[in-house]
Amino acid sequence: MIKYLGSKRTLVPLLSALAQASGARTALDLFTGTTRVAQAFKRQGITVSAVDLASYSEVFARTWITIDADKANQSELTAALADLNSTAGEPGYFTKTFCEDARYFQPKNGAKIDAIRNRIENEFRDSPMYYPLLTSLILASDRVDSTTGLQMAFLKSWASRSFNSLELRDPSLIAGQGFAYRGDALELAANLPATDLAYLDPPYNQHRYFANYHIWETLVRWDSPDSYGIANKRLDVRDPETKSAFNSKREFRNSIEKLITDVRAETLVLSYNNESWLTKDDLIAMCEPRGAVQLIEVDFKRYVGAQIGIFNQAGKKVGVPQHQRNLEYLVLVGEKSTVAKMAKVTNL
Ligand SMILES: C[S@@+](CC[C@H](N)C(=O)[O-])C[C@H]1O[C@@H](n2cnc3c(N)ncnc32)[C@H](O)[C@@H]1O
C-alpha cells in the first residue's frame, strides 16, 4: 500500500470488527483513499462501494473493489507484470519533471516509470488488467520514492529506498463484490444506493490530497501538465475545482452536516480526530437526529511525517512538530441495539 496521510491502517481491525458486529451485508466507504477499509469489508463478504475524488484512488478501487479475484484471469495478470518488468527505461515527461527538475525518484527509476506507463496505456487500455497494472506501477513507484510520504517536497538527500530498482509486484486481487465511484462525496451521497453501513473518513483540515499526491494524479491521468514551484506541482492544483469543501475551514461545518444528513445508510461510522475544526460535541450533536450515538476514542501514534519534523519545499527542516499524539475517534450512529452491539466489540 502507498504511504498516505490519514490512512486508517491501524484502525482496520477495529473497523472490521465493528462492521461484523453491525451485521452489515452492504457498506459504503465514502472517502476511500487507499481503499484499505473497503478492502477489509470486502474480505468479510460485504458488498462494498468505494468513493473518492482522487484519480489514483479510483484506480485502487477498480483494482481491489470492483474486480472479483475468483473471476479474474490471474495468469494473464502475472504474465503482463513479468513482461512489463522487463521493459527498458526510456526517459520522458515523468523523468524530466519528477527526477531531473525535481528529485522525487532516481532518474533510472523515472525512465522505467515513463516506459512502463506508456506501455500500459498503449497495450492494456481496453484490458481488464489496466487498473491492476496501474495500481502495481503506483505501488512500485511509492516503494522507491524520496519523500516523507507527501509530495509537497522531496528529501534533500536521496532516501535509501530510492536506490532500489523499480519492480512491479502482484497487487493481490480480492474475491467478492464491489463498486467504485470517483466524485465528490457531497454530490454523490444522496444518490448512491442505500447500504447497511457507511464509513465516513473525510479530511479534517487544510491538507489537500490533490496537492499532496499530485504525482499519483499525473501518473494516472498521464496528461503531462505544466507544473510550478520547487515541488513541480500540476498547475491545476491552484484551480478551485481541484479543491475539496472538507479542506476549507469556512465550508467544513456545513459540508459534514449535509453529508451526515444525506448519506443513505442504516448505520454510520465516522472517523474524527482532535486536529479537526469541529469539536467532538458538535459532531455528536450533528449525528443525534439519525439515532443513538456512541463515541469511541482510539489513541495511536501520529503520522510519521509529523514525527520527523516540518520541512520546507526544498526538504529542509524548518520546525519541530507541536505535539506527537493524535487522538482518533470513531462515532457510531444508528439504531440503538445495533450501536450497542458494535460498542461491545470495543470493550466499552
Ligand atoms: C483521510 S483520507 C481517507 C483515508 C482512507 N480511509 C484510507 O484508509 O486510506 C480522506 C480522503 O478523502 C478524499 N476526499 C477529499 N475530499 C473529498 C470529497 N469532497 N469527496 C470525496 N472524497 C474526498 C481524499 O482524496 C482522501 O483520499
Side-chain angles (χ1 to χ4, degrees), residues 1 4-9 12 15 29-38 51-57 181-188 199-204 207-210 213 217 243-247 259 271 273:
M1 193 53 73
Y4 204 57
L5 184 71
S7 167
K8 295 299 176 291
R9 184 175 56 83
V12 163
L15 289 167
D29 181 9
L30 206 41
F31 298 84
T32 195
T34 59
T35 71
R36 63 167 85 242
V37 176
V51 176
D52 203 285
L53 266 185
S55 314
Y56 52 84
S57 182
Y181 302 90
R182 182 158 94 83
D184 190 334
L186 279 171
E187 287 165 21
L188 291 173
Y199 174 56
L200 274 56
D201 185 20
Y204 276 101
H207 297 299
R208 294 178 52 210
Y209 284 81
F210 193 82
Y213 297 102
E217 283 291 338
K243 299 196 165 133
S244 166
F246 296 93
N247 296 128
L259 200 62
S271 266
N273 68 54

Side-chain angles (χ1 to χ4, degrees), residues 12 23 102 120 124 149 158 167 192 196 221 289 303 331:
V12 163
I120 293 175
F124 296 91
W158 287 113
E167 187 205 2
L192 290 169
D196 299 331
R221 296 175 185 213
Y303 177 65
V331 186

Side-chain angles (χ1 to χ4, degrees), residues 112-127:
K112 276 280 244 197
I113 295 168
D114 264 315
I116 292 174
R117 181 65 186 89
N118 281 330
R119 283 196 61 195
I120 293 175
E121 201 59 32
N122 297 335
E123 298 170 34
F124 296 91
R125 188 67 193 89
D126 299 320
S127 157

Side-chain angles (χ1 to χ4, degrees), residues 28-322:
L28 173 65
D29 181 9
L30 206 41
F31 298 84
T32 195
T34 59
T35 71
R36 63 167 85 242
V37 176
Q39 289 184 37
F41 290 169
K42 187 182 176 193
R43 285 197 183 91
Q44 285 177 249
I46 295 173
T47 300
V48 56
S49 298
V51 176
D52 203 285
L53 266 185
S55 314
Y56 52 84
S57 182
E58 182 189 19
V59 167
F60 296 154
R62 291 193 182 281
T63 299
W64 286 306
I65 305 305
T66 60
I67 297 179
D68 182 348
D70 288 342
K71 295 185 185 147
N73 189 336
Q74 182 60 44
S75 53
E76 194 186 318
L77 177 58
T78 307
L81 287 168
D83 185 26
L84 288 172
N85 264 328
S86 67
T87 309
E90 199 177 327
Y93 172 89
F94 195 95
T95 311
K96 169 94 176 69
T97 311
F98 300 125
C99 312
E100 292 169 4
D101 296 347
R103 287 159 46 99
Y104 290 101
F105 305 90
Q106 303 257 358
K108 65 165 187 177
N109 284 325
K112 276 280 244 197
I113 295 168
D114 264 315
I116 292 174
R117 181 65 186 89
N118 281 330
R119 283 196 61 195
I120 293 175
E121 201 59 32
N122 297 335
E123 298 170 34
F124 296 91
R125 188 67 193 89
D126 299 320
S127 157
M129 297 301 128
Y130 183 72
Y131 292 107
L133 294 175
L134 271 184
T135 291
S136 178
L137 180 59
I138 299 171
L139 266 60
S141 307
D142 185 64
R143 283 193 294 271
V144 295
D145 80 341
S146 190
T147 73
T148 59
L150 299 177
Q151 296 168 350
M152 299 300 277
F154 42 89
L155 296 175
K156 203 169 167 200
S157 309
W158 287 113
S160 53
R161 65 173 171 272
S162 73
F163 291 92
N164 297 337
S165 295
L166 181 104
E167 187 205 2
L168 301 181
R169 295 184 194 156
D170 191 318
S172 295
L173 302 176
I174 301 167
Q177 280 199 334
F179 305 93
Y181 302 90
R182 182 158 94 83
D184 190 334
L186 279 171
E187 287 165 21
L188 291 173
N191 303 310
L192 290 169
T195 51
D196 299 331
L197 180 73
Y199 174 56
L200 274 56
D201 185 20
Y204 276 101
N205 53 37
Q206 74 283 8
H207 297 299
R208 294 178 52 210
Y209 284 81
F210 193 82
N212 279 326
Y213 297 102
H214 62 96
I215 299 177
W216 302 149
E217 283 291 338
T218 298
L219 188 53
V220 169
R221 296 175 185 213
W222 212 226
D223 54 355
S224 313
D226 287 336
S227 56
Y228 70 95
I230 297 169
N232 262 4
K233 283 180 280 185
R234 308 168 54 91
L235 267 193
D236 54 3
V237 163
R238 294 168 162 161
D239 293 351
E241 53 272 25
T242 65
K243 299 196 165 133
S244 166
F246 296 93
N247 296 128
S248 154
K249 190 173 180 182
R250 199 171 45 82
E251 293 174 66
F252 185 84
R253 171 182 287 273
N254 287 347
S255 304
I256 191 91
E257 190 157 28
K258 176 171 163 37
L259 200 62
I260 291 168
T261 310
D262 282 358
V263 69
R264 301 177 62 217
E266 287 285 311
T267 310
L268 298 190
V269 176
L270 266 105
S271 266
Y272 164 78
N273 68 54
N274 62 342
E275 296 181 328
S276 167
W277 289 310
L278 214 61
T279 68
K280 56 180 193 287
D281 292 339
D282 281 346
L283 190 61
I284 290 170
M286 285 179 190
C287 292
E288 269 167 353
R290 289 194 67 121
V293 181
Q294 173 81 56
L295 187 79
I296 298 169
E297 196 175 287
V298 196
D299 183 2
F300 65 96
K301 284 194 129 191
R302 268 173 68 95
Y303 177 65
V304 67
Q307 290 180 41
I308 298 166
I310 298 166
F311 295 82
N312 69 9
Q313 293 212 331
K316 189 165 178 275
K317 194 165 176 171
V318 291
V320 286
Q322 292 299 304

